[in-house]
Amino acid sequence: MSKKLFTDFDSVSAKAWKQKIQVDLKGADYNETLIWNSPEGINVKPFYHKDDFEGKQYTEVPSNTWSICQSIFVFDVEKSNSKAVNAIKRGAESIIFIIPNNEVSISTLIKNIDATSTPLYVELQFLDADYTKQLSAISGVTILTDIIGNLARSGNWFNTLQSDHEQLDCIVSAKNKTLSVDLSLYQNAGATIVQQLAYALAHANEYLNHLNQNLTSEITFKVSVGTNYFFEIAKLRALRILWKTLAAEYGVTDTCHIIAMPTKRNKTLYDYNTNMLRTTTECMSAILGGANTICNLAYDAIYHKDNEFGERISRNQLLVLKHESYFNAVENASDGAYYIESLTQQLSEKALVLFKDIENNGGFAKQLKEGLIQKKIKESATKEQEAFNSGSITLLGTNKHPNVNDRMKDDLELYPFLKMNSRKTLLQPILEQRLAETLEQNRLKTE
């Protein structure tokens, strides 16, 4: 009984597996039949083997201590405070407050919340020096201000280039504060995973060049997680590798904090309950990829205002994953998965090549100003849109197996489509757009 299991069986090499597969194919071409190419230019094989990783170092993922986060847009400060307190009682372990203006009272907003035990993230949609100083003085509060991200999203600085950078310096230099990079925009606009990673790295590099090694705390990356399950796991792992590589060049902290949330790009207006299935698998990818904070998206977020039911369901999805599915009980569950390890390494390598190309051609800010970043994302988004339109990308209930009796026109509290407002901008903004928008607009016209 002390004999080890399977010791009577010889190990099978990768070469032997491939030979067996080729015999079973009965003359069909191995590459054409079983290997497919991803939009990132990665050839996905039918099997992966430890022989492929001899002498290679595996990716290190931080301990599995992810927290459940609730995102709250602050429209009414007292109601937002009440919502946050209630969310914490019901299982939220951290809060993101999205603050639109400097009229929001900070003391009222965080009343009865212990920021030392419940981390608070504050995302400012404006910049004000006095307001920033008030937030910086509160222990346990992290300010998520990304001035380059705002430039890419809106086409303008918050105030001016000089003013924005001065206030960024104040935020980063404050005790226990952090540098923030929001790469969710690129995913929601249709960028490939390689582009998302390369742009995030180039985006962060702009800040490091400006700060000149004056970064003492870890950086925070805000990431949107898409529907390609294993690729998204690998994306977050690759992001840590890339940041570690870049940080070493500047001699700054090489750890990073990742806040992950599901993408909006594949969410649908019709058959909206399928959004819960999508967000569940996307949150699973985020957890297995090593995200530190998971902020779920309500199933009705694209067409309903914030509501208690949608937020409770989205929070409960994470509670089930954590406390009933034990996604917090296994350390680095993807460790040893040769497929994920291969994807991680390939995505890292391809993103690093693209990053170097961006830097060799003037850097991220320069290419953003010239419209090159926008052009590349639009090209990728157009290819993805064409794949959806042709049915190669499937969204159940929308472009496959639609419920023809489903009616949505009377349920729209929010405008769920891309808004095109004429305004003066310094550069062309990067626009977020869902895959199903045109199809949904045509359906709404017939209701």
Side-chain angles (χ1 to χ4, degrees):
M1 295 298 293
S2 62
K3 194 174 183 180
K4 291 184 179 180
L5 192 62
F6 299 137
T7 54
D8 290 338
F9 298 91
D10 295 329
S11 61
V12 182
S13 67
K15 182 178 180 181
W17 272 114
K18 187 172 181 180
Q19 289 174 340
K20 174 59 177 171
I21 292 170
Q22 287 178 321
V23 170
D24 291 343
L25 285 174
K26 298 179 180 180
D29 185 86
Y30 175 88
N31 292 328
E32 292 183 3
T33 306
L34 297 179
I35 293 179
W36 62 274
N37 188 264
S38 77
E40 291 76 22
I42 293 176
N43 292 322
V44 180
K45 302 186 297 183
F47 76 98
Y48 291 80
H49 195 279
K50 67 178 181 180
D51 290 355
D52 301 326
F53 295 92
E54 288 185 2
K56 294 183 179 180
Q57 187 174 1
Y58 290 96
T59 307
E60 293 183 11
V61 175
S63 60
N64 193 12
T65 55
W66 58 279
S67 68
I68 298 171
C69 185
Q70 179 76 53
S71 176
I72 298 174
F73 182 84
V74 183
F75 177 75
D76 182 302
V77 64
E78 293 184 351
K79 289 182 179 179
S80 296
N81 170 258
S82 178
K83 183 185 290 187
V85 171
N86 183 58
I88 293 168
K89 289 179 180 178
R90 291 174 175 240
E93 298 162 326
S94 57
I95 302 290
I96 295 178
F97 286 119
I98 302 172
I99 301 180
N101 56 62
N102 60 3
E103 296 179 0
V104 174
S105 169
I106 300 171
S107 59
T108 303
L109 185 62
I110 65 172
K111 183 180 179 182
N112 299 323
I113 300 175
D114 183 1
T116 59
S117 59
T118 304
L120 300 179
Y121 302 93
V122 177
E123 184 177 320
L124 300 177
Q125 295 186 332
F126 65 97
L127 275 184
D128 179 273
D130 293 335
Y131 200 88
T132 301
K133 288 179 182 178
Q134 292 181 56
L135 284 170
S136 300
I138 304 173
S139 179
V141 172
T142 298
I143 304 174
L144 302 179
T145 297
D146 181 3
I147 60 174
I148 295 176
N150 179 71
L151 177 66
R153 186 183 300 272
S154 69
N156 289 313
W157 298 105
F158 283 108
N159 300 308
T160 64
L161 183 151
Q162 182 177 347
S163 173
D164 283 13
H165 280 79
E166 287 175 353
Q167 293 194 51
L168 175 71
D169 293 342
C170 292
I171 292 172
V172 174
S173 62
K175 185 178 180 182
N176 298 325
K177 304 309 169 189
T178 186
L179 183 65
S180 173
V181 171
D182 183 357
L183 62 147
S184 64
L185 171 65
Y186 312 131
Q187 202 286 332
N188 284 313
T192 66
I193 290 177
V194 169
Q195 288 174 327
Q196 294 170 48
L197 292 170
Y199 296 160
L201 202 63
H203 189 147
N205 193 50
E206 291 289 336
Y207 287 135
L208 294 178
N209 280 328
H210 169 72
L211 293 169
N212 192 25
Q213 297 183 324
N214 292 325
L215 180 66
T216 57
S217 60
E218 66 178 12
I219 193 171
T220 296
F221 288 104
K222 185 180 176 185
V223 184
S224 277
V225 179
T227 191
N228 196 338
Y229 188 72
F230 293 107
F231 273 69
E232 293 295 334
I233 294 173
K235 179 174 80 175
L236 299 191
R237 292 159 60 93
L239 179 59
R240 291 189 185 278
I241 293 174
L242 292 167
W243 169 248
K244 193 170 185 178
T245 301
L246 182 62
E249 295 297 318
Y250 286 89
V252 299
T253 303
D254 64 3
T255 59
C256 62
H257 186 97
I258 297 178
I259 300 175
M261 58 199 64
T263 180
K264 294 179 182 177
R265 187 156 173 79
N266 66 346
K267 302 304 177 288
T268 56
L269 189 59
Y270 290 93
D271 206 0
Y272 49 75
N273 286 325
T274 57
N275 290 331
M276 281 188 274
L277 301 177
R278 296 174 184 128
T279 56
T280 298
T281 59
E282 287 156 4
C283 288
M284 289 164 63
S285 291
I287 296 165
L288 296 177
N292 306 97
T293 302
I294 316 290
C295 188
N296 198 8
L297 184 72
Y299 74 98
D300 58 349
I302 63 172
Y303 68 93
H304 268 170
K305 295 178 181 178
D306 294 349
N307 62 89
E308 198 276 336
F309 182 77
E311 291 173 349
R312 179 165 59 89
I313 293 296
S314 66
R315 188 170 57 248
N316 285 351
Q317 288 174 258
L318 294 175
L319 288 168
V320 168
L321 288 175
K322 191 164 196 175
H323 300 296
E324 296 185 32
S325 302
Y326 304 106
F327 267 68
N328 66 326
V330 180
E331 292 292 330
N332 196 3
S334 56
D335 189 22
Y338 302 133
Y339 176 40
I340 294 176
E341 196 63 45
S342 175
L343 292 178
T344 301
Q345 293 180 6
Q346 290 185 76
L347 289 173
S348 301
E349 292 166 0
K350 288 179 178 293
L352 194 58
V353 170
L354 180 54
F355 165 73
K356 290 179 179 179
D357 179 71
I358 293 170
E359 293 305 308
N360 289 335
N361 288 281
F364 185 76
K366 181 176 183 292
Q367 292 204 4
L368 193 66
K369 184 178 180 181
E370 294 173 349
L372 295 177
I373 301 295
Q374 297 90 323
K375 180 183 177 182
K376 293 297 183 182
I377 292 177
K378 188 174 182 179
E379 288 173 354
S380 299
T382 299
K383 290 180 181 179
E384 188 180 23
Q385 188 67 56
E386 289 172 350
F388 171 78
N389 294 343
S390 68
S392 298
I393 293 177
T394 298
L395 293 181
L396 287 176
T398 300
N399 69 337
K400 190 170 185 178
H401 306 309
N403 178 1
V404 295
N405 297 317
D406 203 0
R407 298 289 183 269
M408 289 300 299
K409 183 177 289 185
D410 296 333
D411 292 331
L412 303 184
E413 295 178 350
L414 300 173
Y415 186 72
F417 309 116
L418 175 64
K419 297 178 182 178
M420 300 294 289
N421 298 322
S422 298
R423 55 189 175 84
K424 187 176 181 180
T425 59
L426 294 174
L427 51 82
Q428 179 187 349
I430 297 173
L431 303 175
E432 298 182 358
Q433 188 170 16
R434 295 181 298 108
L435 288 170
E437 289 195 13
T438 300
L439 188 152
E440 291 169 349
Q441 286 175 312
N442 291 333
R443 283 189 64 174
L444 284 171
K445 291 176 183 177
T446 65
E447 289 187 15

